[in-house]
Amino acid sequence: MITTSPLTLDDFLALPESDVTYELLDGQAIPKMSPKFRHSRSQKKLLFLLEAWATDKGFVQPEWAVRLQRNGNDWVPVPDLLYISFERLSPDWDEDAPCPVAPELVVEIVSPGQSFGAIAEKASAYLLAGVLRVWVVDSQHQSLTVFAPNQMPRIYQKPESIEDSLFPELSLLTGDIF
């Protein structure tokens, strides 16, 4: 979608529904890349694995827009997956609106044509916006990189176990994802 003047958050949220998913970045509605098979397969596997763990802890949602700030501007990314605990959501949150607060976990899956560097930059922006963990999944290289505040990224590859004190009782094997 091409606009001539910057969109406000309200303008962006009022855009009509379409077959294309958009993210708000720097006042522009940016179309999100359409996933391919490998991307979709990794997303599905992670969704099932995280959903089984999060059943009584929070929501795991694919493609749920999130209201954040980036460089002092409204930012509405649409991560491939997110996890938000029940505690982070206020009791009166609107189910038909973007996620109103930064989730604990955002998962971005590298698509063909995307560079890891661009996704890593987005991961840093998520952390600055209050997201506690960002997982960048590279299906082609069968790796999962964990970004956390004030830490160097950690890369997991087969056959490693992914564990994090932020997510008690969650233990994933990279082999289960790829």
Side-chain angles (χ1 to χ4, degrees):
M1 170 169 286
I2 298 174
T3 58
T4 55
S5 60
L7 291 169
T8 67
L9 178 61
D10 290 336
D11 293 339
F12 177 76
L13 296 176
L15 291 173
E17 295 280 330
S18 78
D19 292 340
V20 177
T21 300
Y22 290 94
E23 297 181 319
L24 177 65
L25 177 62
D26 297 328
Q28 298 296 312
I30 308 295
K32 188 168 173 170
M33 192 172 290
S34 178
K36 306 298 184 265
F37 178 79
R38 195 180 308 193
H39 180 288
S40 294
R41 186 172 171 86
S42 294
Q43 182 181 25
K44 180 177 121 180
K45 285 183 176 186
L46 272 169
L47 174 64
F48 289 144
L49 292 167
L50 290 171
E51 182 74 21
W53 165 78
T55 301
D56 58 348
K57 297 170 184 61
F59 296 110
V60 177
Q61 291 298 127
E63 310 289 330
W64 186 17
V66 183
R67 291 179 64 165
L68 300 172
Q69 291 279 307
R70 183 175 178 165
N71 301 324
N73 297 314
D74 289 320
W75 178 37
V76 183
V78 181
D80 294 310
L81 290 171
L82 67 76
Y83 163 74
I84 186 160
S85 65
F86 296 136
E87 291 82 31
R88 277 205 170 200
L89 289 170
S90 67
D92 61 344
W93 66 280
D94 182 355
E95 291 185 19
D96 290 325
C99 183
V101 295
E104 283 92 340
L105 172 66
V106 160
V107 178
E108 290 285 353
I109 301 170
V110 180
S111 294
Q114 285 183 308
S115 72
F116 183 86
I119 299 292
E121 181 182 327
K122 190 174 186 180
S124 295
Y126 276 125
L127 295 175
L128 289 172
V131 175
L132 300 177
R133 295 293 185 277
V134 180
W135 292 359
V136 175
V137 177
D138 187 336
S139 302
Q140 183 172 1
H141 294 104
Q142 297 189 349
S143 67
L144 186 149
T145 304
V146 175
F147 292 81
N150 305 313
Q151 295 179 20
M152 292 295 294
R154 167 87 200 280
I155 301 170
Y156 294 87
Q157 294 181 301
K158 281 187 174 181
E160 292 183 87
S161 175
I162 302 161
E163 296 180 12
D164 189 322
S165 61
L166 184 63
F167 311 115
E169 302 168 17
L170 174 64
S171 180
L172 303 175
L173 295 173
T174 52
D176 293 338
I177 300 167
F178 306 109

